Amino acid sequence: CVEAEQFDRAMMEELFDVADAMERVRPGAPESTMLQGYLMSTLFYEPSTRTRLSFEAAMGRLGGGIVSTESAGEYSSAAKGETLEDTMRTVEGYADIVVLRHFTAGSARRAANAIGKPLINAGDGPGQHPTQALLDVYTIRKEIGRLDDFKIALVGDLANGRTVRSLASALTQFNNVKFYFVAPDVVKMKDDIKDLLTSKGIEWEEATDLAAVAADVDVLYQTRIQKERFANPEDYAKASGKYIVDRTIMDALPKSSVVMHPLPRVDEIVVDVDDDPRAGYFRQAQNGLFIRMALLKVLLRV
Ligand code: CP
């Protein structure tokens, strides 16, 4: 599981059915031991709360074990100069499946090529975050009740955002999805995603008026401006604070729509909005647990 493009519509729908079943797994039930005896290694070279903890919780809730290192770049032998390939070849001797987050785009593909066991890309720099895309599509289905015939706004740091790149890619599998891209000038959506949508005949447009866009969408997908990816602090200052989801935006948003965010947030969704029933981002984060339980089951062929 390295890129979102690996999943076609049928595979996603099958996975979502498994995820639905995972929501019903309770401690002590027979399903809660289905991965007993299996080990998952989590190697995170970048910080994470949701992805790492939900993968580890997923493995634990299905009875499996975890081998891990805190801050892999600092506390694994990468700090002594070990290559990613050598680390991967070592870890595959200990674990049945490896979850990798790395700071370089393309590193997950390199890691997957180095080993013969399943490799899950938990985010590779500004490249891809395919399991986030899967949980995002699953969340859209649960929140608005369909995966065809809807409009989505991708908002914020679209140049550095691996979640929006993977999500846009995954949504090409569905029919009649219209995209709005709302981003500060310094972090606009890259041409490869625009070209992908155009090549598949999918409608997209760039817009600057967030309230006007909010009034026309079923899904408003906000993202953080990723300070850590800016080489120039002046560019970050230009992008930061430009598009904020607040009460004004919520007033414009249709009653049946949902606000999503991969989290973490800084200030791009005001906390006041959290108690609005359309604020779906913590439900979205919880869906990550069910999707990752389903992925572990499927990838380990249990
Ligand atoms: N959405 C997401 O990837 O969150 P974390 O960085 O906390 O894992």
Side-chain angles (χ1 to χ4, degrees), residues 52-218:
R52 179 172 175 177
L53 295 186
S54 62
F55 263 117
E56 294 185 354
M59 197 63 179
R61 285 195 174 276
L62 295 176
I66 296 145
V67 283
S68 189
T69 175
E70 195 65 39
S71 308
E74 202 178 344
Y75 295 114
S76 77
S77 285
K80 303 177 207 163
E82 185 169 62
T83 64
L84 179 63
E85 283 78 3
D86 283 1
T87 301
M88 298 308 299
R89 289 175 68 180
T90 303
V91 170
E92 79 165 330
Y94 308 148
D96 304 294
I97 189 162
V98 182
V99 182
L100 173 73
R101 171 168 287 186
H102 201 272
F103 44 81
T104 310
S107 55
R109 174 54 58 200
R110 270 176 58 204
N113 289 342
I115 62 174
K117 290 192 175 157
L119 181 288
I120 299 179
N121 178 5
D124 58 339
Q128 284 246 0
H129 195 347
T131 68
Q132 179 73 43
L134 294 169
L135 78 89
D136 289 344
V137 178
Y138 183 61
T139 300
I140 292 170
R141 188 178 80 158
K142 285 174 82 171
E143 294 286 335
I144 69 167
R146 63 191 189 281
L147 287 170
D148 298 309
D149 305 309
F150 72 94
K151 296 179 188 172
I152 181 168
L154 302 180
V155 185
D157 190 344
L158 304 187
N160 298 307
R162 57 194 175 202
T163 64
V164 284
R165 294 173 58 74
S166 289
L167 176 57
S169 214
L171 289 177
T172 63
Q173 296 294 319
F174 302 94
N175 300 316
N176 198 25
V177 180
K178 176 175 178 179
F179 290 82
Y180 288 101
F181 299 137
V182 185
D185 285 343
V186 289
V187 285
K188 283 188 175 302
M189 181 57 91
K190 289 182 178 160
D191 286 343
D192 61 340
I193 295 295
K194 294 178 188 170
D195 291 345
L196 173 72
L197 299 181
T198 302
S199 71
K200 291 178 177 273
I202 296 168
E203 199 183 342
W204 61 269
E205 72 177 72
E206 290 187 315
T208 54
D209 183 342
L210 182 57
V213 167
D216 193 41
V217 295
D218 306 285

Side-chain angles (χ1 to χ4, degrees), residues 225 236-244 267:
I225 305 295
Y236 174 71
K238 279 184 213 160
S240 173
K242 188 155 170 61
Y243 293 111
I244 306 268
D267 56 4

Side-chain angles (χ1 to χ4, degrees), residues 47-52 101 129 132 262-264:
S48 168
T49 297
R50 277 145 291 275
T51 311
R52 179 172 175 177
R101 171 168 287 186
H129 195 347
Q132 179 73 43
L263 303 177

